């Protein structure tokens, strides 16, 4: 990571963060590193990153490039269709993953969580 990315990772671990950098400055690697560092430090159990619909595959591939041994769940269109959706929800809830990446259009399909559930 470049110096500005390391600074952003440090900030992102400690508090909320907006990455409003220009194209090509490494926002993707920064977000992925924040997620993995939070997991490593025990701040997050299973980080979920929400990305633009059109960038899901590209984001997942760059995640694997940055962390080759990552256990990543990045669902395919088939996994998200109505027929297979319940199985996907089970994988998200109970699967052993380092991180989960979903497209923004899928967020509204996730069933409501029980009261008191805290996303970290």
């Amino acid at each position: 990571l470049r110096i500005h990315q390391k600074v952003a990772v440090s900030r992102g671990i400690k508090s909320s963060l907006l990455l409003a950098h220009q194209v090509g400055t490494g926002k993707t690697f920064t977000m992925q590193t924040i997620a993995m560092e939070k997991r490593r430090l025990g701040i997050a159990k299973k980080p979920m990153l929400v990305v633009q619909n059109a960038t899901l595959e590209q984001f997942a591939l760059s995640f694997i490039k940055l962390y080759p041994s990552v256990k990543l769940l990045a669902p395919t269109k088939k996994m998200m269709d109505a027929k297979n959706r319940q199985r996907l929800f089970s994988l998200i809830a109970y699967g052993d993953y380092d991180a989960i990446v979903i497209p923004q259009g899928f967020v509204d399909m996730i069933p409501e969580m029980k009261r008191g559930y805290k996303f970290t």
Side-chain angles (χ1 to χ4, degrees), residues 40-59:
R40 183 183 67 83
L41 294 168
I43 298 168
K45 185 175 180 181
K46 193 181 330 183
M48 178 182 282
L49 296 104
V50 181
V51 301
Q52 294 175 337
N53 295 338
T55 63
L56 176 67
E57 186 177 344
Q58 178 185 355
F59 192 92

Side-chain angles (χ1 to χ4, degrees), residues 35-110:
M36 293 301 284
E37 283 299 299
K38 282 188 168 192
R39 178 168 165 77
R40 183 183 67 83
L41 294 168
I43 298 168
K45 185 175 180 181
K46 193 181 330 183
M48 178 182 282
L49 296 104
V50 181
V51 301
Q52 294 175 337
N53 295 338
T55 63
L56 176 67
E57 186 177 344
Q58 178 185 355
F59 192 92
L61 290 173
S62 72
F63 210 129
I64 294 166
K65 180 180 179 181
L66 184 61
Y67 292 95
S69 62
V70 69
K71 291 183 277 181
L72 182 68
L73 175 60
T76 63
K77 286 184 181 186
K78 184 177 179 181
M79 293 171 77
M80 291 183 285
D81 70 17
K83 182 179 176 183
N84 299 308
R85 200 169 297 143
Q86 192 58 47
R87 175 164 163 64
L88 176 57
F89 293 145
S90 294
L91 288 173
I92 290 170
Y94 303 111
D96 181 27
Y97 297 100
D98 295 321
I100 299 166
V101 180
I102 61 169
Q104 66 187 37
F106 189 69
V107 172
D108 291 335
M109 296 178 198
I110 298 174

Side-chain angles (χ1 to χ4, degrees), residues 5-53:
Q5 290 172 299
K6 292 177 184 179
V7 170
V9 169
S10 178
R11 287 183 182 173
I13 290 170
K14 296 173 190 168
S15 63
S16 297
L17 177 71
L18 170 65
L19 296 173
H21 299 112
Q22 295 176 337
V23 173
T25 55
K27 294 180 296 293
T28 299
F29 277 5
T30 302
M31 289 186 294
Q32 294 163 346
T33 303
I34 291 169
M36 293 301 284
E37 283 299 299
K38 282 188 168 192
R39 178 168 165 77
R40 183 183 67 83
L41 294 168
I43 298 168
K45 185 175 180 181
K46 193 181 330 183
M48 178 182 282
L49 296 104
V50 181
V51 301
Q52 294 175 337
N53 295 338

